[in-house]
Amino acid sequence: MNVENIRLDGLRWVRDMQDMLTQVKQTLENRINLEEYSENIRPVTLNWSTVMRSCLLVGLSDKSPRDLHMALELQMSKHNEPFPGTFFTKANLRAVFLALLKLRYRNVDGEWDTPNFVSKVVAQEILHGRDILMKEGGIDEWLRFIPLRGGKSAQDIPELLLHIGEYSNGMPAKLDINSRAIANTQVLVAGTTGSGKTNLIAVLLNQLRAASSDTHYPVNFLLFDYKGEFSDPTNVHWLQLFNTDAKAILNPIERPLPFTPFKDFTGRPINEVNLYATSLATALCAISPARIGANMDNRLSQAIIDAYTEKDMKPVTFKDVLDHYTRLMPEKKQDETDSVKSVLNQLVRNHIFAENDAIDLLHDCYIINLGGFEKTGIMAKAIVYFVISKLNNIYEQLPKQAVNEGRVEIRHFTIIDEAHYMLGFENKPLQNLIAVGRNKGMSVILATQNMESFKSKHFDFYANAQYPLIMKQQQQNDSVLKDLFGVAGSELQEVKQAIAGLQKGELITKDANNMALGIGKHWQKVKVSHLI
């Protein structure tokens, strides 16, 4: 078939594409970054789309004759990764790519209307461009042609259709994250140890970043890594799957998190401080395993107000609060340690937060390593609680998310692995992030071991989640399953049997269409793509 019939739709990566481009990616990054950066300033990490697009332009610029020998030897990726939707359209380059492909292959017959064939030809040109760039002087000659960002329009909002695996019938399983047809974007994952939760989280992050990091509307993320898997140096290669690098990892054991969790009330009325002091006192009480009486609670609120007043409404520290709390105690008891002082002493001693903001949590990707903390202890709870509270403070200042005729902007995902440690008490910041943050393009992925963890007297997380993903369970909760899937009797038993039969890397999720129509099964089984 003649090249005039070429199509650029439905193209996929070839096998080991990232591995074959790692060297040129690193060389480009070394070339455009400085040798040293000040603390908390991160060097540029090129996303894979930029690297591949640059290599493709360089490859197609070469006028030498083409054949299909190398292209036909390439194998398609077993993970079936698609080229991001913006790969050919960014900077209006689609017509350029088509014209260059037709020019270079005008005398070459092939299956130009077949996605697999065109995918291999495109991959051949990308690898050809890589070889040109890696020759001596090649980078210097072509670096100026790396596409730069231009103007920003709501029409550029990327489609976040996450390909997480396959349904039982072999059809691709996709999660629609940002079309205007869905109610929200929250994702809940429930699965016992060994069910494949970590891989599923990696797949979700990979798909979010692949679809968006090459656009004017990147979806950044903050991952609370309870088990320390994503922060483990032996797994650092995982990070390139999310278009980030080891600079994303923050370890509060090694150094304070580079921001303050406290709000800045400069120029604000005292009433706002009073309300904030009450909520902050409630938070400190919530993360403590000890019972805190009303007198201590009131004294803590007043200590927070006094600390802000003394600092002219600028952000305070836990040390400031501790000092003012101690002053408010009866003089004879100031050397004693009550439940509140015990919590504050631990926060001061561990020094987990800086006094000022040195990073912007929303405008980059971060992984907070909690692997060195006791999972049920005060410090892990405090870190997650106050960082999410910080995110609340940030989204309050944001304009509403951008919207076009078909999609809405998603700015950020907060991911909590082992989230059950944060669901057993009144966690207002997390609830606010779910209930209010969605209007600002903020969303969450929560992963826990048991499905019942998401439904408590404090909050029904299922009622606010678009996508509950149920993996292998040690125990099943009939009440939760009835609410999730709208089933009873024999249908309930069928769902329970399906969950009991799940293997590692498999899940059950709602079939929203069938549920809305009241027909067929209300659930579907998915085999998740294997990524890590």
Side-chain angles (χ1 to χ4, degrees):
M1 183 174 290
N2 189 278
V3 73
E4 291 300 321
N5 298 305
I6 191 171
R7 294 178 57 187
L8 295 180
D9 302 313
L11 303 195
R12 306 278 170 174
W13 290 16
V14 299
R15 188 173 298 177
D16 302 322
M17 175 66 88
Q18 288 188 1
D19 291 342
M20 292 188 287
L21 295 176
T22 294
Q23 186 179 5
V24 71
K25 180 177 185 292
Q26 293 174 347
T27 304
L28 284 168
E29 289 173 347
N30 291 337
R31 181 67 177 78
I32 63 179
N33 281 308
L34 301 176
E35 291 186 4
E36 292 185 6
Y37 287 88
S38 58
E39 187 179 5
N40 298 316
I41 302 298
R42 292 167 61 178
V44 171
T45 300
L46 296 175
N47 59 64
W48 287 108
S49 289
T50 296
V51 174
M52 290 193 294
R53 190 186 297 109
S54 301
C55 289
L56 181 56
L57 284 169
V58 173
L60 288 170
S61 70
D62 181 41
K63 299 178 182 179
S64 60
R66 297 315 201 257
D67 63 49
L68 298 176
H69 178 71
M70 187 184 81
L72 295 178
E73 290 183 348
L74 296 171
Q75 301 295 314
M76 298 307 298
S77 169
K78 57 185 177 182
H79 300 311
N80 212 24
E81 297 102 329
F83 276 88
T86 59
F87 185 85
F88 295 107
T89 60
K90 188 171 183 180
N92 297 316
L93 285 171
R94 184 183 182 90
V96 174
F97 285 127
L98 277 172
L100 287 172
L101 281 166
K102 291 176 181 179
L103 177 64
R104 301 304 177 211
Y105 288 87
R106 63 186 180 277
N107 297 320
V108 181
D109 289 331
E111 300 175 26
W112 293 104
D113 60 344
T114 304
N116 276 11
F117 177 81
V118 180
S119 296
K120 292 181 179 182
V121 172
V122 168
Q124 175 176 266
E125 290 297 327
I126 290 173
L127 296 175
H128 183 47
R130 173 203 63 182
D131 295 340
I132 294 174
L133 287 172
M134 293 307 294
K135 291 179 181 177
E136 184 175 356
I139 295 272
D140 290 333
E141 182 178 353
W142 287 102
L143 186 58
R144 64 183 182 277
F145 292 110
I146 291 180
L148 301 176
R149 291 180 182 268
K152 181 176 179 179
S153 163
Q155 298 305 313
D156 299 325
I157 298 173
E159 179 184 51
L160 303 177
L161 196 59
L162 313 187
H163 181 196
I164 65 169
E166 292 184 348
Y167 292 118
S168 299
N169 60 8
M171 295 295 290
K174 299 181 179 181
L175 306 185
D176 178 1
I177 295 297
N178 71 330
S179 81
R180 298 182 67 173
I182 62 170
N184 64 68
T185 58
Q186 279 77 45
V187 179
L188 303 183
V189 179
T192 189
T193 301
S195 62
K197 291 198 308 293
T198 300
N199 176 70
L200 176 56
I201 291 171
V203 169
L204 291 168
L205 287 179
N206 169 258
Q207 289 289 293
L208 280 168
R209 296 288 290 160
S212 70
S213 61
D214 188 42
T215 75
H216 297 301
Y217 294 90
V219 181
N220 296 317
F221 67 86
L222 172 64
L223 169 63
F224 293 100
D225 188 14
Y226 264 95
K227 292 178 288 190
E229 292 178 295
F230 290 89
S231 311
D232 190 330
T234 61
N235 296 331
V236 70
H237 59 285
W238 292 3
L239 302 182
Q240 68 178 2
L241 300 170
F242 319 136
N243 284 325
T244 188
D245 57 21
K247 295 285 188 181
I249 298 172
L250 304 175
N251 189 341
I253 288 181
E254 295 178 353
R255 62 178 62 185
L257 297 174
F259 51 86
T260 172
F262 296 97
K263 290 184 73 170
D264 188 339
F265 287 99
T266 304
R268 308 300 301 172
I270 189 65
N271 285 344
E272 290 188 20
V273 178
N274 294 341
L275 291 171
Y276 178 73
T278 300
S279 65
L280 186 55
T282 301
L284 289 166
C285 295
I287 66 174
S288 171
R291 182 175 178 81
I292 294 177
N295 288 338
M296 286 186 281
D297 192 359
N298 292 334
R299 186 183 301 137
L300 178 56
S301 295
Q302 188 59 51
I304 296 166
I305 295 170
D306 292 348
Y308 265 103
T309 302
E310 185 175 83
K311 296 192 77 168
D312 296 325
M313 301 304 179
K314 291 182 172 60
V316 298
T317 67
F318 288 113
K319 178 66 165 58
D320 296 329
V321 176
L322 174 60
D323 289 345
H324 282 278
Y325 183 88
T326 302
R327 293 176 203 170
L328 292 170
M329 296 175 71
E331 188 173 350
K332 293 181 179 180
K333 294 186 176 183
Q334 289 184 1
D335 292 332
E336 298 178 5
T337 300
D338 61 15
S339 299
V340 170
K341 286 186 70 172
S342 176
V343 173
L344 290 171
N345 275 323
Q346 289 188 63
L347 293 170
V348 171
R349 184 168 59 250
N350 284 275
H351 193 205
I352 54 177
F353 292 103
E355 295 187 16
N356 299 291
D357 291 342
I359 64 172
D360 185 331
L361 282 175
L362 288 195
H363 288 92
D364 222 323
C365 297
Y366 293 98
I367 299 171
I368 298 182
N369 184 1
L370 298 175
F373 296 96
E374 181 186 351
K375 292 181 175 62
T376 58
I378 287 176
M379 298 314 302
K381 277 187 177 180
I383 291 170
V384 179
Y385 192 101
F386 287 111
V387 173
I388 293 178
S389 180
K390 177 72 172 182
L391 289 173
N392 277 257
N393 298 343
I394 294 172
Y395 81 61
E396 287 176 0
Q397 310 302 318
L398 293 174
K400 289 193 69 173
Q401 63 194 160
V403 178
N404 63 28
E405 62 276 5
R407 295 186 289 275
V408 299
E409 174 191 13
I410 302 297
R411 288 186 170 103
H412 191 270
F413 263 88
T414 300
I415 304 101
I416 309 179
D417 194 6
E418 307 295 319
H420 41 278
Y421 296 115
M422 298 303 298
L423 304 178
F425 60 94
E426 184 74 359
N427 193 333
K428 284 291 187 182
L430 182 57
Q431 294 170 18
N432 288 341
L433 191 61
I434 290 171
V436 183
R438 70 179 63 164
N439 293 324
K440 301 294 183 72
M442 310 278 284
S443 199
V444 299
I445 299 172
L446 304 180
T448 185
Q449 294 188 9
N450 300 308
M451 63 174 75
E452 60 188 14
S453 299
F454 290 121
K455 192 170 184 178
S456 70
K457 63 180 181 180
H458 304 294
F459 198 72
D460 184 354
F461 289 89
Y462 283 121
N464 290 272
Q466 183 72 23
Y467 297 111
L469 308 178
I470 309 299
M471 307 187 85
K472 187 77 173 179
Q473 300 284 298
Q474 287 184 335
Q475 299 180 37
Q476 297 189 38
N477 186 301
D478 286 7
S479 175
V480 169
L481 291 174
K482 288 178 181 178
D483 288 349
L484 273 181
F485 298 105
V487 293
S490 61
E491 290 180 325
L492 173 61
Q493 295 308 312
E494 188 179 3
V495 172
K496 293 179 67 175
Q497 289 174 9
I499 294 173
L502 290 173
Q503 302 300 308
K504 181 176 181 179
E506 296 179 339
L507 62 85
I508 296 292
T509 189
K510 293 192 297 188
D511 187 322
N513 290 332
N514 282 0
M515 290 181 69
L517 296 172
I519 60 173
K521 289 182 179 180
H522 290 189
W523 53 273
Q524 292 197 68
K525 179 179 173 180
V526 177
K527 183 173 179 58
V528 180
S529 302
H530 178 70
L531 187 64
I532 58 173

